[in-house]
PDB file of all heavy atoms in Angstrom:
ATOM      1  N   LEU A  13     -17.971   9.443  31.350  1.00  0.00           N
ATOM      2  CA  LEU A  13     -16.803   9.794  30.537  1.00  0.00           C
ATOM      3  C   LEU A  13     -15.668   8.764  30.806  1.00  0.00           C
ATOM      4  O   LEU A  13     -15.242   8.558  31.951  1.00  0.00           O
ATOM      5  CB  LEU A  13     -16.275  11.193  30.959  1.00  0.00           C
ATOM      6  CG  LEU A  13     -17.125  12.387  30.642  1.00  0.00           C
ATOM      7  CD1 LEU A  13     -16.493  13.654  31.224  1.00  0.00           C
ATOM      8  CD2 LEU A  13     -17.379  12.510  29.142  1.00  0.00           C
ATOM      9  N   LEU A  14     -15.260   8.140  29.706  1.00  0.00           N
ATOM     10  CA  LEU A  14     -14.235   7.061  29.821  1.00  0.00           C
ATOM     11  C   LEU A  14     -13.001   7.459  29.029  1.00  0.00           C
ATOM     12  O   LEU A  14     -13.098   7.805  27.822  1.00  0.00           O
ATOM     13  CB  LEU A  14     -14.832   5.774  29.270  1.00  0.00           C
ATOM     14  CG  LEU A  14     -13.910   4.594  29.288  1.00  0.00           C
ATOM     15  CD1 LEU A  14     -13.672   4.084  30.732  1.00  0.00           C
ATOM     16  CD2 LEU A  14     -14.424   3.416  28.410  1.00  0.00           C
ATOM     17  N   HIS A  15     -11.857   7.397  29.717  1.00  0.00           N
ATOM     18  CA  HIS A  15     -10.605   7.652  29.016  1.00  0.00           C
ATOM     19  C   HIS A  15      -9.873   6.299  28.842  1.00  0.00           C
ATOM     20  O   HIS A  15      -9.910   5.470  29.738  1.00  0.00           O
ATOM     21  CB  HIS A  15      -9.687   8.615  29.810  1.00  0.00           C
ATOM     22  CG  HIS A  15      -8.270   8.665  29.269  1.00  0.00           C
ATOM     23  ND1 HIS A  15      -7.241   7.905  29.787  1.00  0.00           N
ATOM     24  CD2 HIS A  15      -7.772   9.399  28.240  1.00  0.00           C
ATOM     25  CE1 HIS A  15      -6.167   8.153  29.105  1.00  0.00           C
ATOM     26  NE2 HIS A  15      -6.427   9.063  28.174  1.00  0.00           N
ATOM     27  N   PHE A  16      -9.210   6.118  27.677  1.00  0.00           N
ATOM     28  CA  PHE A  16      -8.457   4.898  27.488  1.00  0.00           C
ATOM     29  C   PHE A  16      -7.348   5.173  26.459  1.00  0.00           C
ATOM     30  O   PHE A  16      -7.358   6.134  25.728  1.00  0.00           O
ATOM     31  CB  PHE A  16      -9.384   3.741  27.001  1.00  0.00           C
ATOM     32  CG  PHE A  16     -10.110   4.063  25.717  1.00  0.00           C
ATOM     33  CD1 PHE A  16      -9.628   3.574  24.500  1.00  0.00           C
ATOM     34  CD2 PHE A  16     -11.255   4.779  25.681  1.00  0.00           C
ATOM     35  CE1 PHE A  16     -10.250   3.847  23.291  1.00  0.00           C
ATOM     36  CE2 PHE A  16     -11.956   5.061  24.487  1.00  0.00           C
ATOM     37  CZ  PHE A  16     -11.422   4.598  23.317  1.00  0.00           C
ATOM     38  N   MET A  17      -6.395   4.242  26.455  1.00  0.00           N
ATOM     39  CA  MET A  17      -5.258   4.297  25.534  1.00  0.00           C
ATOM     40  C   MET A  17      -5.363   3.128  24.559  1.00  0.00           C
ATOM     41  O   MET A  17      -5.740   2.016  24.956  1.00  0.00           O
ATOM     42  CB  MET A  17      -3.905   4.255  26.303  1.00  0.00           C
ATOM     43  CG  MET A  17      -3.740   5.243  27.394  1.00  0.00           C
ATOM     44  SD  MET A  17      -3.581   6.971  26.794  1.00  0.00           S
ATOM     45  CE  MET A  17      -1.921   6.900  26.078  1.00  0.00           C
ATOM     46  N   VAL A  18      -5.025   3.429  23.303  1.00  0.00           N
ATOM     47  CA  VAL A  18      -5.026   2.393  22.242  1.00  0.00           C
ATOM     48  C   VAL A  18      -3.610   2.279  21.687  1.00  0.00           C
ATOM     49  O   VAL A  18      -3.058   3.261  21.185  1.00  0.00           O
ATOM     50  CB  VAL A  18      -6.000   2.683  21.171  1.00  0.00           C
ATOM     51  CG1 VAL A  18      -5.983   1.563  20.132  1.00  0.00           C
ATOM     52  CG2 VAL A  18      -7.442   2.803  21.738  1.00  0.00           C
ATOM     53  N   GLN A  19      -3.028   1.088  21.739  1.00  0.00           N
ATOM     54  CA  GLN A  19      -1.719   0.886  21.146  1.00  0.00           C
ATOM     55  C   GLN A  19      -1.952   0.610  19.667  1.00  0.00           C
ATOM     56  O   GLN A  19      -2.585  -0.361  19.292  1.00  0.00           O
ATOM     57  CB  GLN A  19      -1.058  -0.306  21.781  1.00  0.00           C
ATOM     58  CG  GLN A  19       0.404  -0.516  21.367  1.00  0.00           C
ATOM     59  CD  GLN A  19       1.053  -1.709  22.073  1.00  0.00           C
ATOM     60  OE1 GLN A  19       0.664  -2.036  23.184  1.00  0.00           O
ATOM     61  NE2 GLN A  19       1.982  -2.328  21.417  1.00  0.00           N
ATOM     62  N   GLN A  20      -1.483   1.543  18.780  1.00  0.00           N
ATOM     63  CA  GLN A  20      -1.727   1.459  17.381  1.00  0.00           C
ATOM     64  C   GLN A  20      -0.429   1.672  16.590  1.00  0.00           C
ATOM     65  O   GLN A  20       0.560   2.216  17.111  1.00  0.00           O
ATOM     66  CB  GLN A  20      -2.693   2.569  16.953  1.00  0.00           C
ATOM     67  CG  GLN A  20      -4.068   2.471  17.529  1.00  0.00           C
ATOM     68  CD  GLN A  20      -4.925   3.656  17.170  1.00  0.00           C
ATOM     69  OE1 GLN A  20      -5.507   4.305  18.050  1.00  0.00           O
ATOM     70  NE2 GLN A  20      -5.026   3.981  15.838  1.00  0.00           N
ATOM     71  N   ILE A  21      -0.467   1.225  15.316  1.00  0.00           N
ATOM     72  CA  ILE A  21       0.669   1.423  14.422  1.00  0.00           C
ATOM     73  C   ILE A  21       0.345   2.734  13.646  1.00  0.00           C
ATOM     74  O   ILE A  21      -0.693   2.802  12.964  1.00  0.00           O
ATOM     75  CB  ILE A  21       0.856   0.268  13.437  1.00  0.00           C
ATOM     76  CG1 ILE A  21       1.173  -1.008  14.228  1.00  0.00           C
ATOM     77  CG2 ILE A  21       1.965   0.619  12.418  1.00  0.00           C
ATOM     78  CD1 ILE A  21       1.238  -2.285  13.351  1.00  0.00           C
ATOM     79  N   HIS A  22       1.194   3.737  13.816  1.00  0.00           N
ATOM     80  CA  HIS A  22       0.992   5.029  13.148  1.00  0.00           C
ATOM     81  C   HIS A  22       1.633   4.908  11.740  1.00  0.00           C
ATOM     82  O   HIS A  22       2.781   5.169  11.503  1.00  0.00           O
ATOM     83  CB  HIS A  22       1.675   6.163  13.903  1.00  0.00           C
ATOM     84  CG  HIS A  22       1.516   7.487  13.258  1.00  0.00           C
ATOM     85  ND1 HIS A  22       0.298   8.037  13.005  1.00  0.00           N
ATOM     86  CD2 HIS A  22       2.436   8.346  12.772  1.00  0.00           C
ATOM     87  CE1 HIS A  22       0.450   9.241  12.410  1.00  0.00           C
ATOM     88  NE2 HIS A  22       1.747   9.389  12.215  1.00  0.00           N
ATOM     89  N   CYS A  23       0.798   4.463  10.797  1.00  0.00           N
ATOM     90  CA  CYS A  23       1.209   4.263   9.417  1.00  0.00           C
ATOM     91  C   CYS A  23       0.059   4.615   8.461  1.00  0.00           C
ATOM     92  O   CYS A  23      -0.971   3.951   8.443  1.00  0.00           O
ATOM     93  CB  CYS A  23       1.650   2.844   9.194  1.00  0.00           C
ATOM     94  SG  CYS A  23       2.346   2.493   7.550  1.00  0.00           S
ATOM     95  N   VAL A  24       0.226   5.753   7.771  1.00  0.00           N
ATOM     96  CA  VAL A  24      -0.832   6.179   6.859  1.00  0.00           C
ATOM     97  C   VAL A  24      -0.290   5.998   5.412  1.00  0.00           C
ATOM     98  O   VAL A  24       0.816   6.409   5.066  1.00  0.00           O
ATOM     99  CB  VAL A  24      -1.147   7.668   7.089  1.00  0.00           C
ATOM    100  CG1 VAL A  24      -2.274   8.120   6.138  1.00  0.00           C
ATOM    101  CG2 VAL A  24      -1.582   7.901   8.533  1.00  0.00           C
ATOM    102  N   ARG A  25      -1.097   5.304   4.629  1.00  0.00           N
ATOM    103  CA  ARG A  25      -0.706   5.049   3.258  1.00  0.00           C
ATOM    104  C   ARG A  25      -1.610   5.686   2.242  1.00  0.00           C
ATOM    105  O   ARG A  25      -2.785   5.899   2.485  1.00  0.00           O
ATOM    106  CB  ARG A  25      -0.726   3.469   3.005  1.00  0.00           C
ATOM    107  CG  ARG A  25       0.235   2.680   3.793  1.00  0.00           C
ATOM    108  CD  ARG A  25       0.115   1.225   3.473  1.00  0.00           C
ATOM    109  NE  ARG A  25       1.083   0.402   4.230  1.00  0.00           N
ATOM    110  CZ  ARG A  25       2.294   0.164   3.827  1.00  0.00           C
ATOM    111  NH1 ARG A  25       2.716   0.628   2.664  1.00  0.00           N
ATOM    112  NH2 ARG A  25       3.138  -0.584   4.532  1.00  0.00           N
ATOM    113  N   LYS A  26      -0.995   6.013   1.103  1.00  0.00           N
ATOM    114  CA  LYS A  26      -1.779   6.539   0.008  1.00  0.00           C
ATOM    115  C   LYS A  26      -2.397   5.332  -0.726  1.00  0.00           C
ATOM    116  O   LYS A  26      -1.698   4.387  -1.034  1.00  0.00           O
ATOM    117  CB  LYS A  26      -0.851   7.282  -0.991  1.00  0.00           C
ATOM    118  CG  LYS A  26      -1.601   8.102  -2.021  1.00  0.00           C
ATOM    119  CD  LYS A  26      -2.180   9.402  -1.474  1.00  0.00           C
ATOM    120  CE  LYS A  26      -2.714  10.264  -2.624  1.00  0.00           C
ATOM    121  NZ  LYS A  26      -3.344  11.511  -2.054  1.00  0.00           N
ATOM    122  N   LYS A  27      -3.708   5.354  -0.872  1.00  0.00           N
ATOM    123  CA  LYS A  27      -4.370   4.184  -1.476  1.00  0.00           C
ATOM    124  C   LYS A  27      -3.917   3.992  -2.908  1.00  0.00           C
ATOM    125  O   LYS A  27      -3.642   4.876  -3.669  1.00  0.00           O
ATOM    126  CB  LYS A  27      -5.902   4.433  -1.450  1.00  0.00           C
ATOM    127  CG  LYS A  27      -6.510   4.296  -0.097  1.00  0.00           C
ATOM    128  CD  LYS A  27      -8.026   4.430  -0.172  1.00  0.00           C
ATOM    129  CE  LYS A  27      -8.668   4.244   1.155  1.00  0.00           C
ATOM    130  NZ  LYS A  27     -10.149   4.400   1.075  1.00  0.00           N
ATOM    131  N   VAL A  28      -3.839   2.694  -3.266  1.00  0.00           N
ATOM    132  CA  VAL A  28      -3.463   2.319  -4.652  1.00  0.00           C
ATOM    133  C   VAL A  28      -4.603   2.650  -5.535  1.00  0.00           C
ATOM    134  O   VAL A  28      -5.738   2.303  -5.275  1.00  0.00           O
ATOM    135  CB  VAL A  28      -3.129   0.798  -4.698  1.00  0.00           C
ATOM    136  CG1 VAL A  28      -2.825   0.429  -6.136  1.00  0.00           C
ATOM    137  CG2 VAL A  28      -1.969   0.470  -3.829  1.00  0.00           C
ATOM    138  N   ASP A  29      -4.284   3.390  -6.616  1.00  0.00           N
ATOM    139  CA  ASP A  29      -5.328   3.786  -7.586  1.00  0.00           C
ATOM    140  C   ASP A  29      -5.673   2.579  -8.478  1.00  0.00           C
ATOM    141  O   ASP A  29      -4.867   2.063  -9.178  1.00  0.00           O
ATOM    142  CB  ASP A  29      -4.836   4.928  -8.450  1.00  0.00           C
ATOM    143  CG  ASP A  29      -5.954   5.565  -9.272  1.00  0.00           C
ATOM    144  OD1 ASP A  29      -6.904   4.894  -9.561  1.00  0.00           O
ATOM    145  OD2 ASP A  29      -5.837   6.762  -9.575  1.00  0.00           O
ATOM    146  N   SER A  30      -6.895   2.100  -8.345  1.00  0.00           N
ATOM    147  CA  SER A  30      -7.329   0.925  -9.122  1.00  0.00           C
ATOM    148  C   SER A  30      -7.268   1.155 -10.603  1.00  0.00           C
ATOM    149  O   SER A  30      -6.991   0.248 -11.351  1.00  0.00           O
ATOM    150  CB  SER A  30      -8.779   0.506  -8.713  1.00  0.00           C
ATOM    151  OG  SER A  30      -9.675   1.573  -8.962  1.00  0.00           O
ATOM    152  N   SER A  31      -7.436   2.447 -11.034  1.00  0.00           N
ATOM    153  CA  SER A  31      -7.384   2.729 -12.489  1.00  0.00           C
ATOM    154  C   SER A  31      -5.975   2.519 -12.998  1.00  0.00           C
ATOM    155  O   SER A  31      -5.694   2.061 -14.076  1.00  0.00           O
ATOM    156  CB  SER A  31      -7.809   4.145 -12.772  1.00  0.00           C
ATOM    157  OG  SER A  31      -6.993   5.085 -12.075  1.00  0.00           O
ATOM    158  N   ASP A  32      -4.940   2.866 -12.115  1.00  0.00           N
ATOM    159  CA  ASP A  32      -3.562   2.677 -12.489  1.00  0.00           C
ATOM    160  C   ASP A  32      -3.244   1.193 -12.579  1.00  0.00           C
ATOM    161  O   ASP A  32      -2.491   0.737 -13.466  1.00  0.00           O
ATOM    162  CB  ASP A  32      -2.619   3.315 -11.508  1.00  0.00           C
ATOM    163  CG  ASP A  32      -2.661   4.844 -11.599  1.00  0.00           C
ATOM    164  OD1 ASP A  32      -3.122   5.378 -12.609  1.00  0.00           O
ATOM    165  OD2 ASP A  32      -2.199   5.533 -10.651  1.00  0.00           O
ATOM    166  N   GLU A  33      -3.827   0.411 -11.628  1.00  0.00           N
ATOM    167  CA  GLU A  33      -3.579  -1.003 -11.634  1.00  0.00           C
ATOM    168  C   GLU A  33      -4.100  -1.657 -12.909  1.00  0.00           C
ATOM    169  O   GLU A  33      -3.457  -2.480 -13.517  1.00  0.00           O
ATOM    170  CB  GLU A  33      -4.266  -1.649 -10.436  1.00  0.00           C
ATOM    171  CG  GLU A  33      -3.550  -1.386  -9.098  1.00  0.00           C
ATOM    172  CD  GLU A  33      -4.242  -2.062  -7.957  1.00  0.00           C
ATOM    173  OE1 GLU A  33      -5.459  -2.320  -8.110  1.00  0.00           O
ATOM    174  OE2 GLU A  33      -3.600  -2.325  -6.958  1.00  0.00           O
ATOM    175  N   LYS A  34      -5.309  -1.213 -13.336  1.00  0.00           N
ATOM    176  CA  LYS A  34      -5.880  -1.761 -14.513  1.00  0.00           C
ATOM    177  C   LYS A  34      -5.099  -1.362 -15.801  1.00  0.00           C
ATOM    178  O   LYS A  34      -4.891  -2.114 -16.716  1.00  0.00           O
ATOM    179  CB  LYS A  34      -7.345  -1.288 -14.696  1.00  0.00           C
ATOM    180  CG  LYS A  34      -8.268  -1.882 -13.661  1.00  0.00           C
ATOM    181  CD  LYS A  34      -9.689  -1.339 -13.815  1.00  0.00           C
ATOM    182  CE  LYS A  34     -10.654  -1.912 -12.757  1.00  0.00           C
ATOM    183  NZ  LYS A  34     -11.983  -1.394 -12.888  1.00  0.00           N
ATOM    184  N   GLN A  35      -4.634  -0.082 -15.765  1.00  0.00           N
ATOM    185  CA  GLN A  35      -3.870   0.420 -16.910  1.00  0.00           C
ATOM    186  C   GLN A  35      -2.584  -0.350 -17.109  1.00  0.00           C
ATOM    187  O   GLN A  35      -2.162  -0.651 -18.236  1.00  0.00           O
ATOM    188  CB  GLN A  35      -3.573   1.905 -16.713  1.00  0.00           C
ATOM    189  CG  GLN A  35      -2.841   2.537 -17.873  1.00  0.00           C
ATOM    190  CD  GLN A  35      -2.613   4.059 -17.611  1.00  0.00           C
ATOM    191  OE1 GLN A  35      -3.123   4.591 -16.707  1.00  0.00           O
ATOM    192  NE2 GLN A  35      -1.751   4.611 -18.473  1.00  0.00           N
ATOM    193  N   HIS A  36      -1.918  -0.690 -16.015  1.00  0.00           N
ATOM    194  CA  HIS A  36      -0.634  -1.391 -16.104  1.00  0.00           C
ATOM    195  C   HIS A  36      -0.717  -2.885 -15.846  1.00  0.00           C
ATOM    196  O   HIS A  36       0.264  -3.552 -15.828  1.00  0.00           O
ATOM    197  CB  HIS A  36       0.368  -0.764 -15.079  1.00  0.00           C
ATOM    198  CG  HIS A  36       0.578   0.713 -15.332  1.00  0.00           C
ATOM    199  ND1 HIS A  36       1.187   1.188 -16.446  1.00  0.00           N
ATOM    200  CD2 HIS A  36       0.206   1.775 -14.537  1.00  0.00           C
ATOM    201  CE1 HIS A  36       1.255   2.551 -16.358  1.00  0.00           C
ATOM    202  NE2 HIS A  36       0.672   2.910 -15.243  1.00  0.00           N
ATOM    203  N   GLY A  37      -1.943  -3.371 -15.644  1.00  0.00           N
ATOM    204  CA  GLY A  37      -2.130  -4.746 -15.299  1.00  0.00           C
ATOM    205  C   GLY A  37      -1.629  -5.724 -16.314  1.00  0.00           C
ATOM    206  O   GLY A  37      -1.164  -6.815 -16.042  1.00  0.00           O
ATOM    207  N   GLY A  38      -1.749  -5.315 -17.616  1.00  0.00           N
ATOM    208  CA  GLY A  38      -1.327  -6.239 -18.669  1.00  0.00           C
ATOM    209  C   GLY A  38       0.114  -6.167 -19.054  1.00  0.00           C
ATOM    210  O   GLY A  38       0.580  -6.933 -19.849  1.00  0.00           O
ATOM    211  N   ASP A  39       0.787  -5.184 -18.492  1.00  0.00           N
ATOM    212  CA  ASP A  39       2.199  -4.995 -18.837  1.00  0.00           C
ATOM    213  C   ASP A  39       3.085  -6.080 -18.226  1.00  0.00           C
ATOM    214  O   ASP A  39       2.898  -6.364 -17.015  1.00  0.00           O
ATOM    215  CB  ASP A  39       2.732  -3.632 -18.354  1.00  0.00           C
ATOM    216  CG  ASP A  39       1.971  -2.496 -19.048  1.00  0.00           C
ATOM    217  OD1 ASP A  39       1.353  -2.727 -20.078  1.00  0.00           O
ATOM    218  OD2 ASP A  39       2.047  -1.325 -18.522  1.00  0.00           O
ATOM    219  N   GLU A  40       3.980  -6.627 -18.946  1.00  0.00           N
ATOM    220  CA  GLU A  40       4.851  -7.633 -18.391  1.00  0.00           C
ATOM    221  C   GLU A  40       6.029  -6.941 -17.764  1.00  0.00           C
ATOM    222  O   GLU A  40       6.610  -6.037 -18.274  1.00  0.00           O
ATOM    223  CB  GLU A  40       5.332  -8.565 -19.513  1.00  0.00           C
ATOM    224  CG  GLU A  40       4.221  -9.458 -20.079  1.00  0.00           C
ATOM    225  CD  GLU A  40       4.796 -10.462 -21.082  1.00  0.00           C
ATOM    226  OE1 GLU A  40       6.040 -10.447 -21.266  1.00  0.00           O
ATOM    227  OE2 GLU A  40       4.023 -11.180 -21.644  1.00  0.00           O
ATOM    228  N   LYS A  41       6.410  -7.399 -16.578  1.00  0.00           N
ATOM    229  CA  LYS A  41       7.528  -6.776 -15.859  1.00  0.00           C
ATOM    230  C   LYS A  41       8.547  -7.866 -15.532  1.00  0.00           C
ATOM    231  O   LYS A  41       8.184  -8.982 -15.179  1.00  0.00           O
ATOM    232  CB  LYS A  41       7.060  -6.120 -14.560  1.00  0.00           C
ATOM    233  CG  LYS A  41       6.025  -5.024 -14.774  1.00  0.00           C
ATOM    234  CD  LYS A  41       5.615  -4.461 -13.425  1.00  0.00           C
ATOM    235  CE  LYS A  41       4.523  -3.337 -13.629  1.00  0.00           C
ATOM    236  NZ  LYS A  41       4.066  -2.782 -12.347  1.00  0.00           N
ATOM    237  N   GLU A  42       9.808  -7.487 -15.721  1.00  0.00           N
ATOM    238  CA  GLU A  42      10.816  -8.433 -15.340  1.00  0.00           C
ATOM    239  C   GLU A  42      11.100  -8.341 -13.831  1.00  0.00           C
ATOM    240  O   GLU A  42      11.150  -7.225 -13.303  1.00  0.00           O
ATOM    241  CB  GLU A  42      12.166  -8.088 -16.107  1.00  0.00           C
ATOM    242  CG  GLU A  42      12.054  -8.265 -17.593  1.00  0.00           C
ATOM    243  CD  GLU A  42      13.346  -7.972 -18.282  1.00  0.00           C
ATOM    244  OE1 GLU A  42      14.338  -7.772 -17.538  1.00  0.00           O
ATOM    245  OE2 GLU A  42      13.362  -7.887 -19.498  1.00  0.00           O
ATOM    246  N   GLU A  43      11.201  -9.458 -13.200  1.00  0.00           N
ATOM    247  CA  GLU A  43      11.428  -9.488 -11.797  1.00  0.00           C
ATOM    248  C   GLU A  43      12.881  -9.706 -11.467  1.00  0.00           C
ATOM    249  O   GLU A  43      13.542 -10.531 -12.082  1.00  0.00           O
ATOM    250  CB  GLU A  43      10.586 -10.585 -11.085  1.00  0.00           C
ATOM    251  CG  GLU A  43       9.110 -10.237 -11.127  1.00  0.00           C
ATOM    252  CD  GLU A  43       8.346 -11.239 -10.252  1.00  0.00           C
ATOM    253  OE1 GLU A  43       8.930 -12.211  -9.761  1.00  0.00           O
ATOM    254  OE2 GLU A  43       7.115 -11.048 -10.047  1.00  0.00           O
ATOM    255  N   GLY A  44      13.377  -8.993 -10.501  1.00  0.00           N
ATOM    256  CA  GLY A  44      14.783  -9.204 -10.056  1.00  0.00           C
ATOM    257  C   GLY A  44      14.862 -10.345  -9.075  1.00  0.00           C
ATOM    258  O   GLY A  44      13.844 -10.980  -8.757  1.00  0.00           O
ATOM    259  N   ASP A  45      16.051 -10.638  -8.603  1.00  0.00           N
ATOM    260  CA  ASP A  45      16.220 -11.720  -7.677  1.00  0.00           C
ATOM    261  C   ASP A  45      15.482 -11.549  -6.355  1.00  0.00           C
ATOM    262  O   ASP A  45      15.109 -12.467  -5.690  1.00  0.00           O
ATOM    263  CB  ASP A  45      17.730 -11.917  -7.372  1.00  0.00           C
ATOM    264  CG  ASP A  45      18.510 -12.369  -8.623  1.00  0.00           C
ATOM    265  OD1 ASP A  45      17.820 -12.966  -9.514  1.00  0.00           O
ATOM    266  OD2 ASP A  45      19.713 -12.094  -8.669  1.00  0.00           O
ATOM    267  N   ASP A  46      15.190 -10.255  -6.009  1.00  0.00           N
ATOM    268  CA  ASP A  46      14.518  -9.962  -4.758  1.00  0.00           C
ATOM    269  C   ASP A  46      13.031  -9.930  -4.883  1.00  0.00           C
ATOM    270  O   ASP A  46      12.322  -9.597  -3.909  1.00  0.00           O
ATOM    271  CB  ASP A  46      15.032  -8.649  -4.129  1.00  0.00           C
ATOM    272  CG  ASP A  46      14.782  -7.447  -5.071  1.00  0.00           C
ATOM    273  OD1 ASP A  46      14.328  -7.701  -6.218  1.00  0.00           O
ATOM    274  OD2 ASP A  46      15.038  -6.327  -4.655  1.00  0.00           O
ATOM    275  N   GLY A  47      12.519 -10.221  -6.099  1.00  0.00           N
ATOM    276  CA  GLY A  47      11.074 -10.213  -6.320  1.00  0.00           C
ATOM    277  C   GLY A  47      10.516  -8.872  -6.705  1.00  0.00           C
ATOM    278  O   GLY A  47       9.338  -8.739  -6.993  1.00  0.00           O
ATOM    279  N   SER A  48      11.372  -7.818  -6.755  1.00  0.00           N
ATOM    280  CA  SER A  48      10.898  -6.522  -7.185  1.00  0.00           C
ATOM    281  C   SER A  48      10.827  -6.444  -8.671  1.00  0.00           C
ATOM    282  O   SER A  48      11.547  -7.161  -9.432  1.00  0.00           O
ATOM    283  CB  SER A  48      11.823  -5.416  -6.624  1.00  0.00           C
ATOM    284  OG  SER A  48      13.149  -5.590  -7.169  1.00  0.00           O
ATOM    285  N   SER A  49       9.974  -5.568  -9.193  1.00  0.00           N
ATOM    286  CA  SER A  49       9.822  -5.401 -10.581  1.00  0.00           C
ATOM    287  C   SER A  49      10.795  -4.403 -11.158  1.00  0.00           C
ATOM    288  O   SER A  49      10.995  -3.319 -10.573  1.00  0.00           O
ATOM    289  CB  SER A  49       8.382  -4.928 -10.976  1.00  0.00           C
ATOM    290  OG  SER A  49       7.451  -5.848 -10.413  1.00  0.00           O
ATOM    291  N   SER A  50      11.419  -4.739 -12.288  1.00  0.00           N
ATOM    292  CA  SER A  50      12.345  -3.790 -12.921  1.00  0.00           C
ATOM    293  C   SER A  50      11.565  -2.624 -13.448  1.00  0.00           C
ATOM    294  O   SER A  50      10.440  -2.741 -13.880  1.00  0.00           O
ATOM    295  CB  SER A  50      13.116  -4.482 -14.046  1.00  0.00           C
ATOM    296  OG  SER A  50      12.241  -4.954 -15.042  1.00  0.00           O
ATOM    297  N   GLY A  51      12.129  -1.414 -13.356  1.00  0.00           N
ATOM    298  CA  GLY A  51      11.488  -0.246 -13.844  1.00  0.00           C
ATOM    299  C   GLY A  51      10.623   0.398 -12.779  1.00  0.00           C
ATOM    300  O   GLY A  51       9.920   1.378 -12.991  1.00  0.00           O
TER     301      GLY A  51
END
């Protein structure tokens, strides 16, 4: 029996839906000065 500690980043993300990416992939988006997409 081995006990150990693991230093990890506790960050759980909702996966990006590939179907949504494809659906909006052709849409043109205006980018702001910070690189974010308008809308």
